[in-house]
């Protein structure tokens, strides 16, 4: 539609039918606004029904009676108030005693239909690094699992926890938090309603003081242990030998299952001989030593390819593993080795598909087992792992963000990579984020400086889309140090700028300015003009954030000149400049800037920038009093945002539509616009408001 107002018609009185028999007498512009907004519903289909999360691990076979524990859990759940704050049960016991399996059995036996709004599960062992957990990242994952759009996930931990409580206020959930160590890790993860089950090795007394019910899981009694043994061995064998096996394993189901797997591989040996062999391996009387002795004996009997996988996992710096990383490290016959580890219950499924981890007790044993290996073996494995992640993260970055300024060369395409689509690449980065940071730390310790900064540069594809701020900040601090050690001031500038963006998103403007100043001090040693431009761009965004548009304009103009010859960069900087000019009260100038940028974006097929430019254009038109043209811009933006599934931009477009409606001094028109906007919000899957 032409940007010009429909001259000569604005003052005419017309009869406008809004809905049903409601009639409003007003201007043609009012009628056009309603007609345009009404038409939006024709092409904005309702979103698919959201999936209800059912994340508690499935129970396994071979579970022996835990009658007393089930009774305690049932009583604790029944004591939880209905409709009030969530009930909390804290289950404690030794590693390998079977806490997770107990909860899986209990949930699937007694709670399969009790929480129709969903079951959430997190294993903190998968995301724990150096003893700590980024709880904010866990809440972010929970919110995404509950179909909250990324735009509505706040930056800080406190705000994320509030949003989680808001989202769960009307939907009671079962939340299972595995491998918790501290109450501080649990409190932000509490929903408003439902039941929370916390598993750990030690009591969380402060939660108990708040009313949490404590359930202790002890090692299996001899009778229960014998049940397990007799499922795999002839029940006519010496009962005394079976009892001694339970004692050797300390009553720990994990160790007992591994031992029984060993027994099944030796049907020709008597139970008494096997127990005697295990007993000789046992170094001490403690339960931990008992488990270690069993794992020593079991791993010594593994086939070479299974031992190779187990030894690799002892050297692997991350928490979860996949076939791709094991094969990149040179592990032969991965699937066969994984089958052996899973059969022995030493490896378990992680929370993400096609991803696995060792049980934490087993992982400690695997690490201890390779401590005596030559240091160069450890270093060689970790180098192969690092190279895998550097290359694969770069491939993911190219797929997610497409053409952009990069300081590392493009990676060679792998014959087999764990993703094929943009969405798949982003999900791989997100699922691997704990491993990626662990590899970054390892590479920094080994002083593989090029690997550190290359990996860090590629991680922008993750942090730009999924704001894991703790990881973002730590990784870029490592990246800055690596770039400095490698003598790469250009990389330092990029790392300082990307770190500044994290602080900017967190509202930490002083910290962001400090990082930019450090980067700017290096510009005299950097020839690439676009790196100068990114520093000035972020400076400009900071000026806009504190309502200093005049300074922002000067900075964006410098950034625009720095991007000469880069079509996408020119469009982005023109978009920024137009926003600053509009904020300075110069809407016609902003409109003139946007016209050229929109033409370029359309010619380049850059729909994402078309959407952003279109929303700013609508605001400029509104500021000029050209409501009909502004609503037409909103029309285009809503359609494009829905097509691209960019719900944050959809909301911005709908906000502008509502502002246009509120600007018309007619209550019926305002109600009609407001109602249509709320309908479109629901159809867009973003709810009535971004609370």
């Amino acid at each position: 539609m032409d940007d010009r107002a429909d001259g000569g018609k604005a003052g005419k009185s017309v009869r406008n039918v809004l809905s049903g028999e409601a009639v409003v007498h007003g201007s043609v512009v009012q009628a056009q606004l309603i007609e345009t907004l009404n038409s939006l519903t024709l092409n904005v289909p309702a979103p698919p029904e959201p999936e209800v999360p059912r994340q508690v691990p499935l129970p396994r076979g071979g579970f022996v009676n835990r009658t007393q524990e089930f009774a305690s859990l049932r009583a604790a759940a029944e004591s939880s108030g209905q409709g009030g704050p969530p009930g909390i049960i804290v289950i404690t016991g030794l590693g390998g005693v079977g806490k997770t399996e107990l909860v899986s059995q209990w949930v699937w036996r007694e709670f399969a239909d009790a929480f129709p709004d969903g079951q959430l599960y997190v294993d903190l062992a998968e995301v724990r690094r150096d003893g700590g957990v980024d709880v904010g990242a866990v809440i972010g994952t929970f919110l995404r699992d509950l179909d909250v759009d990324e735009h509505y996930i706040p930056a800080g931990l406190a705000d994320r926890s509030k949003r989680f409580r808001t989202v769960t206020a009307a939907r009671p959930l079962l939340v299972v938090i595995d491998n918790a160590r501290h109450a501080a890790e649990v409190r932000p993860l509490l929903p408003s309603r439902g039941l929370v089950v916390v598993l750990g090795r030690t009591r969380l007394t402060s939660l108990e003081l708040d009313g949490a019910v404590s359930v202790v899981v002890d090692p299996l009694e001899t009778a229960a242990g014998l049940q397990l043994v007799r499922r795999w061995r002839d029940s006519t064998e010496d009962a005394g030998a079976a009892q001694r096996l339970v004692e050797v394993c300390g009553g720990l189901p994990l160790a007992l299952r591994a031992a029984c797997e060993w027994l099944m591989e030796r049907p020709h040996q008597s139970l008494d001989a096997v127990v005697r062999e295990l007993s000789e391996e046992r170094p001490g009387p403690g339960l931990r030593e008992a488990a270690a002795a069993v794992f020593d004996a079991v791993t010594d009997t593994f086939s070479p390819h299974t031992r190779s996988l187990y030894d690799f996992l002892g050297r692997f710096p991350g928490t979860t593993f996949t076939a791709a990383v094991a094969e990149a490290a040179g592990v032969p016959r991965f699937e066969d080795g994984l089958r052996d580890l899973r059969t022995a219950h030493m490896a378990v499924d992680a929370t993400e598909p096609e991803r696995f981890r060792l049980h934490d007790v087993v992982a400690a044993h695997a690490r201890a087992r390779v401590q005596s290996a030559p240091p160069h073996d450890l270093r060689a494995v970790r180098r192969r792992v690092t190279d895998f992640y550097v290359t694969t993260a770069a491939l993911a970055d190219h797929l997610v963000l497409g053409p952009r300024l990069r300081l590392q060369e493009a990676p060679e395409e792998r014959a087999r990579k764990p993703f094929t689509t943009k969405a798949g690449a982003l999900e791989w980065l997100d699922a691997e984020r704990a491993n990626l940071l662990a590899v970054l730390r390892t590479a920094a310790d080994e002083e593989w400086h090029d690997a550190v900064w290359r990996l860090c540069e590629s991680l922008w594809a993750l942090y730009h889309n999924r704001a894991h701020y703790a990881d973002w900040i730590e990784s870029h601090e490592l990246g800055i140090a690596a770039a400095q050690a490698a003598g790469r001031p250009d990389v330092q500038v990029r790392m300082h700028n990307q770190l500044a963006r994290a602080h900017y998103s967190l509202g930490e403007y002083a910290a962001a300015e400090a990082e930019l100043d450090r980067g700017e001090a290096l510009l005299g040693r950097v020839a690439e003009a676009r790196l100068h431009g990114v520093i000035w761009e972020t400076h400009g965004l900071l000026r806009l954030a504190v309502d200093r548009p005049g300074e922002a304009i000067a900075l964006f103009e410098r950034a625009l000149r720095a991007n000469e010859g880069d079509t996408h960069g020119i469009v982005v900087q023109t978009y920024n400049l137009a926003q600053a000019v509009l904020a300075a009260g110069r809407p016609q100038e902003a409109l003139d800037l946007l016209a050229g940028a929109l033409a370029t974006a359309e010619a380049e097929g850059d729909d994402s920038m078309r959407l952003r430019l279109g929303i700013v254009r609508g605001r400029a038109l509104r500021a000029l009093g050209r409501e009909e043209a502004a609503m037409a811009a909103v029309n285009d933006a809503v359609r494009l945002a829905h097509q691209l599934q960019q719900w944050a931009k959809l909301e911005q477009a709908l906000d502008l539509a509502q502002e246009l409606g509120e600007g018309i001094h007619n209550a019926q028109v305002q109600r009609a616009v407001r109602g249509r906007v709320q309908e479109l919000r629901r159809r867009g899957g973003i709810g009535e408001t971004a609370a």
Side-chain angles (χ1 to χ4, degrees):
M1 184 178 292
D2 196 320
D3 290 345
R4 292 170 295 179
D6 193 1
K9 298 182 181 179
K12 290 185 178 180
S13 178
V14 296
R15 182 174 182 271
N16 297 327
V17 179
L18 299 179
S19 61
E21 298 180 356
V23 178
V24 171
H25 295 278
S27 69
V28 169
V29 171
Q30 293 178 18
Q32 291 286 356
L33 288 174
I34 298 304
E35 182 181 348
T36 302
L37 193 57
N38 282 347
S39 73
L40 295 181
T41 60
L42 299 177
N43 296 317
V44 182
E49 286 296 319
E51 293 183 357
V52 177
R54 289 283 184 266
Q55 298 177 350
V56 176
L58 291 169
R60 300 193 191 111
F63 184 78
V64 296
N65 193 7
R66 286 279 195 178
T67 305
Q68 181 177 339
E69 289 84 353
F70 276 138
S72 298
L73 290 170
R74 191 177 300 112
E78 290 172 354
S79 69
S80 301
Q82 297 296 321
I88 304 175
I89 302 173
V90 179
I91 302 175
T92 56
L94 293 166
V97 81
K99 301 182 294 296
T100 304
E101 183 62 27
L102 172 67
V103 170
S104 295
Q105 295 281 346
W106 177 54
V107 167
W108 288 92
R109 291 183 189 188
E110 302 190 14
F111 283 103
D113 301 315
F115 292 93
D117 290 305
Q119 304 168 358
L120 297 175
Y121 173 85
V122 61
D123 185 348
L124 297 185
E126 292 183 15
V127 295
R128 190 179 303 283
R129 298 188 289 277
D130 290 347
V133 171
D134 182 358
V135 181
V138 175
I139 300 176
T141 300
F142 277 178
L143 289 170
R144 292 183 200 99
D145 292 339
L146 295 172
D147 288 308
V148 176
D149 185 77
E150 192 72 34
H151 174 66
Y152 304 122
I153 299 177
L157 171 59
D159 289 337
R160 286 189 174 194
S161 187
K162 290 176 186 175
R163 178 61 49 81
F164 183 54
R165 292 196 296 273
T166 299
V167 169
T168 58
R171 50 190 303 184
L173 300 172
L174 173 66
V175 179
V176 178
I177 304 169
D178 207 345
N179 282 303
R181 293 184 183 175
H182 313 288
E185 299 172 345
V186 174
R187 293 187 193 282
L189 302 174
L190 298 179
S192 290
R193 298 174 57 197
L195 179 65
V196 179
V197 181
V198 184
L199 295 80
R201 296 189 186 182
T202 58
R203 293 177 62 180
L204 304 179
T205 52
S206 62
L207 289 181
E208 293 177 30
L209 290 173
D210 292 343
V213 179
S214 175
V215 175
V216 178
V217 180
D218 292 317
L220 291 173
E221 295 180 353
T222 301
L226 287 173
Q227 280 185 267
L228 277 181
V229 175
R230 287 171 177 159
R231 289 187 180 185
W232 288 289
R233 292 292 292 203
D234 188 347
S235 60
T236 61
E237 288 196 84
D238 181 10
Q243 181 173 332
R244 287 195 298 278
L245 177 61
V246 175
E247 293 170 355
V248 166
C249 293
L252 297 177
L254 181 66
L256 196 56
R257 287 174 182 274
C260 288
E261 167 66 15
W262 189 29
L263 285 167
M264 293 176 69
E265 295 291 332
R266 288 163 178 73
H268 58 282
Q269 279 189 290
S270 70
L271 181 59
D272 187 66
V274 171
V275 172
R276 215 169 30 248
E277 187 173 345
L278 278 174
S279 299
E280 290 171 0
E281 295 282 345
R282 181 173 172 175
L287 292 177
R288 182 177 297 178
E289 289 79 6
V294 173
F295 297 145
D296 280 340
V298 170
T299 52
D300 285 346
T301 66
F302 280 154
S303 59
H305 59 267
T306 305
R307 277 201 303 275
S308 177
L309 175 59
Y310 195 69
D311 289 345
F312 160 71
L313 295 174
R315 296 177 171 92
F316 181 57
T319 54
T320 64
F321 62 93
T322 61
V325 69
E327 290 168 1
V331 176
R333 297 176 58 183
F334 171 80
E335 297 295 342
D336 293 337
L338 177 64
R339 185 189 62 242
D340 291 344
L341 291 177
R342 294 179 75 189
T343 301
H345 299 278
M346 296 170 77
V348 297
D349 293 348
T351 52
E352 298 288 338
E354 303 301 318
R355 191 170 295 276
F356 313 94
R357 70 174 183 86
L358 293 181
H359 189 285
D360 50 347
V361 175
V362 178
H365 175 264
R367 288 192 294 270
R369 178 182 171 89
V370 299
Q371 281 182 350
S372 59
H376 64 82
D377 287 353
L378 173 63
R379 200 165 189 265
V381 169
R382 291 188 168 177
R383 182 73 227 201
R384 289 195 291 271
V385 168
T386 299
D387 290 344
F388 165 81
Y389 279 109
V390 168
T391 300
T392 312
L395 290 169
D397 169 34
H398 278 260
L399 201 51
V400 172
L401 294 182
R404 71 179 181 105
L405 171 63
R406 293 179 176 86
L407 301 180
Q408 60 182 304
E409 64 278 5
E412 293 184 7
E413 281 287 339
R414 289 183 176 277
R416 176 184 177 187
K417 60 178 182 281
F419 44 78
T420 55
T421 65
K422 174 180 177 177
L426 181 57
E427 291 307 319
W428 180 86
L429 287 167
D430 203 25
E432 289 279 3
R433 68 182 190 271
N435 291 338
L436 288 162
L437 191 56
V439 168
L440 265 174
R441 289 171 171 170
T442 297
D445 290 342
E446 296 285 357
E447 299 184 348
W448 296 329
H449 304 307
D450 279 357
V452 172
W453 74 255
R454 290 170 191 271
L455 185 52
C456 192
E457 182 181 47
S458 298
L459 285 175
W460 180 248
L462 171 62
Y463 302 143
H464 179 70
N465 288 281
R466 304 277 172 85
H468 302 301
Y469 290 105
D471 290 8
W472 186 345
I473 291 170
E474 182 182 350
S475 64
H476 280 73
E477 288 172 345
L478 292 172
I480 290 167
Q484 184 175 14
R488 292 292 301 266
D490 55 341
V491 177
Q492 283 180 262
V493 170
R494 160 147 278 189
M495 297 294 104
H496 281 299
N497 181 69
Q498 292 184 178
L499 180 53
R501 288 299 187 96
H503 290 301
Y504 164 75
S505 298
L506 288 166
E508 299 168 350
Y509 297 151
E513 287 281 8
E515 290 300 330
L516 291 174
D517 289 344
R518 295 183 186 105
E520 195 163 18
L522 297 165
L523 290 180
R525 300 166 56 194
V526 175
E528 172 57 66
R530 287 175 293 177
L531 288 174
H532 296 238
V534 298
I535 294 291
W536 297 329
E537 176 189 10
T538 306
H539 268 308
L541 293 173
L542 285 166
R543 296 301 187 278
L544 270 185
V546 296
D547 198 23
R548 290 154 66 179
E551 296 175 28
I553 289 170
L555 287 159
F556 290 140
E557 286 175 339
R558 295 175 74 185
L560 181 59
R561 289 192 295 272
N563 277 272
E564 185 177 350
D566 182 336
T567 302
H568 178 72
I570 289 172
V571 171
V572 170
Q573 299 312 325
T574 304
Y575 163 73
N576 288 330
L577 180 57
Q579 290 193 97
V581 168
L582 181 59
R586 291 142 52 184
Q588 185 58 55
E589 184 180 343
L591 206 57
D592 294 341
L593 286 165
L594 291 164
L598 267 168
T600 302
E602 289 172 0
E604 294 293 321
D606 191 345
D607 289 342
S608 182
M609 285 310 303
R610 273 183 56 210
L611 171 58
R612 286 159 172 75
L613 292 161
I615 292 172
V616 178
R617 179 170 171 270
R619 290 173 180 155
L621 289 166
R622 177 175 178 264
L624 289 168
R626 298 162 66 176
E627 288 91 350
E628 183 181 347
M631 186 58 82
V634 168
N635 187 340
D636 292 340
V638 167
R639 296 184 195 282
L640 192 52
H642 194 274
Q643 174 188 326
L644 298 175
Q645 298 187 355
Q646 293 194 14
W647 309 126
K649 294 302 175 184
L650 175 61
E651 187 193 20
Q652 289 179 18
L654 292 176
D655 282 345
L656 179 55
Q658 188 155 324
E659 289 170 11
L660 285 164
E662 298 296 337
I664 298 173
H665 300 296
N666 184 299
Q668 276 188 290
V669 173
Q670 290 173 357
R671 283 196 299 273
V673 172
R674 193 180 303 120
R676 190 64 70 203
V677 167
Q678 299 297 4
E679 177 190 341
L680 291 169
R681 286 180 184 278
R682 289 190 294 272
R683 286 178 174 269
I686 58 177
E688 294 191 357
T689 60

